[in-house]
Amino acid sequence: MKAPLSRRLVVVAAITVALLLPVAGALLSAAFRQSVETGFDQRLEALLTTLAGLIENGPTDDTTLTLSRPLADPRFERLHSGWYWQIARADQVLATSRSLWDDRIAATAMPLLGPRGEPLRAKQLDLLLPTGGSPVHLLIVGPQREIEIEVAAFNRLLVIALGSLGLLLIAAFAVQIRWGLAPLRRLGDQLKRVRSGDQPTLDTSLQRELPGDLAEVATAINEVLAHQQALIERARSATGNLAHALKQPLAALHLQLDGEKLDRSAVRESLARIGETVDHHLSRAAAAGRVSGLYGRASLRDSLLPIVEAVRSIHVVRGLTIVAELPAGRSVRIDVQDLQELAGNLLDNAALAARSEVRLSVIDEADGLLMLIDDDGPGIPDAAHALVIERGVRLDEQRPGSGLGLSIVRDLAELHGLALSLSASPLGGLRVGLRFSASQAQA
């Protein structure tokens, strides 16, 4: 079983902290070392300047030099303290600090080492005395270990501080991740309840509690659940309708088979009714099955012009005028085959009822898109408009010439969430409207 998302995020956060904090620590340590070394060098520079100002010639000749007074720093008086000064001319050492005693420092050696072999940090100066002669070479040094001790102490504090910071950051990330994923856990719990049958959809109160992006996900899940529930209910209804529709012709067949004389015409009629019923329900099942998946996008012009041409060719002998006003580049969110079946059935119904003209048009509206099919036929009474689009009522019960087509249109429209409407047409017959919502009609 793969690790939970929260654990993965915590591990990623811990790895990030473990990689970044050492880099930050190394940069801080380097910056601190540079600062300590700069400060150390500045102290040596100051001492070197003071030393140069204290030099005096000896009382007899220029082969000896003395200081007018000792340097104020007592470390130059303490034996082998690591702090030394030395004055030389050419290869001859003229004076040294008391801390150096009888030892000498090789100013040209690198690295510079003290009497005990300890590393030293130095500042040097060539000085021309007022009495003339060759310049004297001033050397003042301090122990490198003082820098190392100070940097090591800082590094110890830095490791403790960054280690504590890293643990706090990981703990904070863990709390943040747990808090941030809490809505997902609530959403998962709700889905488990839906799966177990405790509730049909996600609780609406959950959608109000979730963040905006997850609330949209919950809304989409509920829409999918409602859509699937509608498909299930439709399947149950179709099964019941099929059983009810087959019951009478099957009973008639049993009577014929049990009778003394077989009426072949009655048997054929019963079988024809069974065939029509099966075809009807297969068509409804095909319509419902196609919309159970993801919807694509269909271009109105590219999808509907072939249907218009097909209906026009079917009714060419009647001399019907079929006009299609379809905007170029306009598309809707629906499966292409479903759009073609919707338009094809509506156009065929209109052509069967029309006297001379059928018109297909598309109107852009503020809240979506409206597809209209008008005919100049006899139409149907206004009082029958609502009855025609009710479930279980077929148009052929109201007007001859129509059959299964409007039933499939009604099912497809409901499954796609389209609004189907009937009204009087400006051409004098029936107007059928199919409305796409703003989200379905987005270009």
Side-chain angles (χ1 to χ4, degrees), residues 218-257:
T219 301
I221 291 174
N222 272 345
E223 290 175 355
V224 172
L225 291 174
H227 182 73
Q228 296 300 322
Q229 186 62 32
L231 291 177
I232 293 172
E233 292 298 328
R234 184 169 298 278
R236 291 173 178 170
S237 175
T239 302
N241 292 339
L242 178 61
H244 181 74
L246 293 177
K247 186 175 182 180
Q248 185 176 356
L250 286 175
L253 284 175
H254 279 296
L255 288 175
Q256 289 294 327
L257 293 175

Side-chain angles (χ1 to χ4, degrees), residues 18-51:
L19 292 176
L20 291 182
L21 286 187
V23 174
L27 293 175
L28 288 174
S29 178
F32 182 77
R33 172 179 284 277
Q34 184 179 5
S35 176
V36 171
E37 290 177 348
T38 300
F40 194 88
D41 290 342
Q42 287 175 349
R43 292 200 301 272
L44 290 176
E45 288 277 3
L47 291 169
L48 185 63
T49 303
T50 303
L51 178 65

Side-chain angles (χ1 to χ4, degrees), residues 25 48 68 77 109 138 141 163 200 203 225 228 238 252 258 294 346 349 372 392 442:
L48 185 63
S68 59
E77 302 296 324
L138 278 64
V141 297
D203 193 348
L225 291 174
Q228 296 300 322
D258 293 339
L294 296 175
L346 292 175
N349 285 340
L372 298 173
Q442 289 177 353

Side-chain angles (χ1 to χ4, degrees), residues 142-378:
Q144 180 72 26
R145 69 175 181 275
E146 291 194 6
I147 295 176
E148 302 301 331
I149 291 172
E150 194 168 352
V151 171
F154 175 80
N155 286 341
R156 284 194 296 271
L157 291 175
L158 187 62
V159 169
I160 294 172
L162 291 182
S164 301
L165 177 61
L167 294 176
L168 288 175
L169 285 176
I170 294 173
F173 280 136
V175 172
Q176 181 182 7
I177 290 169
R178 181 170 181 80
W179 177 76
L181 295 180
L184 281 178
R185 287 195 297 274
R186 292 201 299 271
L187 188 61
D189 292 340
Q190 288 281 318
L191 288 173
K192 289 178 182 178
R193 293 177 61 84
V194 171
R195 183 179 62 184
S196 63
D198 295 336
Q199 57 191 53
T201 59
L202 303 181
D203 193 348
T204 55
S205 63
L206 176 67
Q207 299 180 43
R208 293 192 296 269
E209 298 172 1
L210 292 176
D213 46 0
L214 287 182
E216 294 178 2
V217 173
T219 301
I221 291 174
N222 272 345
E223 290 175 355
V224 172
L225 291 174
H227 182 73
Q228 296 300 322
Q229 186 62 32
L231 291 177
I232 293 172
E233 292 298 328
R234 184 169 298 278
R236 291 173 178 170
S237 175
T239 302
N241 292 339
L242 178 61
H244 181 74
L246 293 177
K247 186 175 182 180
Q248 185 176 356
L250 286 175
L253 284 175
H254 279 296
L255 288 175
Q256 289 294 327
L257 293 175
D258 293 339
E260 295 181 358
K261 185 177 180 180
L262 182 65
D263 187 347
R264 294 182 178 273
S265 62
V267 171
R268 291 193 187 96
E269 181 180 351
S270 297
L271 291 175
R273 290 177 62 187
I274 291 174
E276 291 176 359
T277 301
V278 170
D279 290 341
H280 170 74
H281 285 277
L282 285 176
S283 298
R284 291 169 69 100
R290 282 199 304 274
V291 298
S292 61
L294 296 175
Y295 307 148
R297 299 202 64 81
S299 167
L300 288 174
R301 190 176 184 85
D302 295 342
S303 302
L304 297 184
L305 280 181
I307 302 301
V308 173
E309 291 299 326
V311 175
R312 186 180 287 141
S313 63
I314 293 173
H315 299 278
V316 65
V317 295
R318 297 176 52 202
L320 284 179
T321 299
I322 301 179
V323 180
E325 299 173 353
L326 301 172
R330 201 70 170 87
S331 60
V332 290
R333 187 168 296 164
I334 190 175
D335 182 81
V336 174
Q337 291 184 3
D338 290 342
L339 178 62
Q340 291 177 339
E341 187 155 7
L342 283 168
N345 280 292
L346 292 175
L347 283 172
D348 189 55
N349 285 340
L352 289 172
R355 295 186 176 92
S356 62
E357 183 179 359
V358 174
R359 185 175 298 274
L360 170 64
S361 58
V362 175
I363 300 174
D364 270 310
E365 298 182 331
D367 58 346
L369 182 144
L370 182 62
M371 185 170 72
L372 298 173
I373 295 92
D374 292 284
D375 67 68
D376 61 351

Side-chain angles (χ1 to χ4, degrees), residues 382-394 398 410 422:
D382 292 345
H385 288 171
L387 181 63
V388 168
I389 60 176
E390 286 181 1
R391 183 180 301 279
V393 178
R394 294 176 56 184
Q398 308 297 323
R410 182 175 56 247
L422 303 180

Side-chain angles (χ1 to χ4, degrees), residues 389-411:
I389 60 176
E390 286 181 1
R391 183 180 301 279
V393 178
R394 294 176 56 184
L395 188 60
D396 62 347
E397 295 174 351
Q398 308 297 323
R399 184 189 65 200
S402 297
L404 188 59
L406 189 60
S407 177
I408 296 175
V409 169
R410 182 175 56 247
D411 291 343

